[in-house]
Amino acid sequence: MEQDSLTLHGDGISATIVRQGAELVSLRDSEGTELLWQAGPAWKRHSPVLFPIVGRLKGDQLRHRGRSYPMTQHGFARDRRFAWTEQGPRSCTLLLTDDAGTREQYPFAFHLAISYSLRLRQLDVSFTITNTGGETLPASIGGHPAFNWPLLPDLPKTAYQLRFANDESAPIRRLKDGLLLPTPQPTPVKGKILALSESLFEEDAVIIDRPASANVRYAAGHGPALEISWQGFRELGIWSRPGGAPFLCIEPWHGLASPIDFDGEFTEKPGVMLIPPAATRVLSFQIHLD
């Protein structure tokens, strides 16, 4: 019987991954400080994989060639058991392939491989999507890591900020009932700095759909700090549960929730990758412990 979890150990960092959803469930520094949200009552996940959609579809229906397929928010990968294809002391890879169950929701052939590897105080996460079918594969994918907020319990939430690599002056997007509103809103980012507070999430996620940066630093004036970098992703979601919860999600995405007025085919949905037969797309992000 395959083991359900694996803990990787590196220089100044350890990470635990489970087969269920290929999910990262623990991330600790050299002092043993847990940096990842531990799936408490406010939200019962740690770092789910969003595939083959990011966000919601209108009516929770995927439309393809005139047929509708039921698909709930963020897709099915987070609720499927992956298979281990590599297990080492510092790295591992898990694989999900289409089957009769996935095709009831998503009528496409695919392989989704997720790899985790440790370097010096850094976790690398990569997603490899391969089209194993004979037609174009439409897909979105996203990371959804939830970090403790605050990272140290004696600090207030408002001590923390996100510092982007570049100025983020472009408008942001917001959601209503999980769907993308048509009108962009002024960004709450001031130059490179997003001050964090619970009020920021009263209208759900902050969605930067045209980020100028490819990394962001999450930190207070002292204590642990994290830098998240990404490659291949086009959008960035920042989220905590409205009303207040002790976690902050920093989410590299390739894809978005359906626009509130979108009724088209999934292949026409904004943000979807279109992967030709036999082709592969690789996207990745890194979490560096400062």
Side-chain angles (χ1 to χ4, degrees), residues 170-187:
I172 64 164
R173 307 299 295 272
R174 289 283 198 176
L175 304 170
K176 181 176 176 59
D177 299 326
L179 299 178
L180 195 68
L181 288 168
T183 305
Q185 297 187 13
T187 181

Side-chain angles (χ1 to χ4, degrees), residues 24-172:
L24 174 70
V25 298
S26 177
L27 185 68
R28 293 178 179 269
D29 64 16
S30 58
E31 288 76 42
T33 302
E34 179 62 71
L35 304 169
L36 203 68
W37 165 246
Q38 289 301 290
W43 191 54
K44 295 185 178 181
R45 299 184 188 268
H46 307 261
S47 181
V49 173
L50 315 184
F51 176 86
I53 61 172
V54 171
R56 281 192 63 197
L57 299 174
K58 189 173 182 181
D60 294 324
Q61 297 289 315
L62 182 151
R63 294 180 173 83
H64 181 61
R65 295 185 174 175
R67 288 189 58 187
S68 292
Y69 300 82
M71 176 85 71
T72 55
Q73 184 177 29
H74 293 325
F76 52 73
R78 61 185 185 170
D79 297 316
R80 303 281 298 191
R81 285 174 69 81
F82 284 60
W84 302 105
T85 61
E86 180 210 342
Q87 291 176 289
R90 289 174 175 259
S91 64
C92 67
T93 300
L94 303 97
L95 179 67
L96 180 68
T97 60
D98 62 285
D99 58 23
T102 67
R103 288 190 292 270
E104 289 178 357
Q105 303 174 70
Y106 182 63
F108 304 99
F110 68 88
H111 283 181
L112 171 60
I114 302 177
S115 296
Y116 295 91
S117 62
L118 296 182
R119 292 191 279 163
L120 178 63
R121 296 183 62 80
Q122 181 167 303
L123 172 66
D124 296 353
V125 185
S126 71
F127 304 95
T128 302
I129 308 166
T130 301
N131 182 352
T132 57
E135 64 175 311
T136 297
L137 177 68
S140 287
I141 195 162
H144 200 313
F147 304 105
N148 286 325
W149 181 31
L151 291 170
L152 289 180
D154 60 336
L155 289 176
K157 286 183 169 184
T158 51
Y160 287 82
Q161 64 181 22
L162 296 182
R163 176 182 288 273
F164 292 88
N166 300 309
D167 287 352
E168 296 290 346
S169 58
I172 64 164

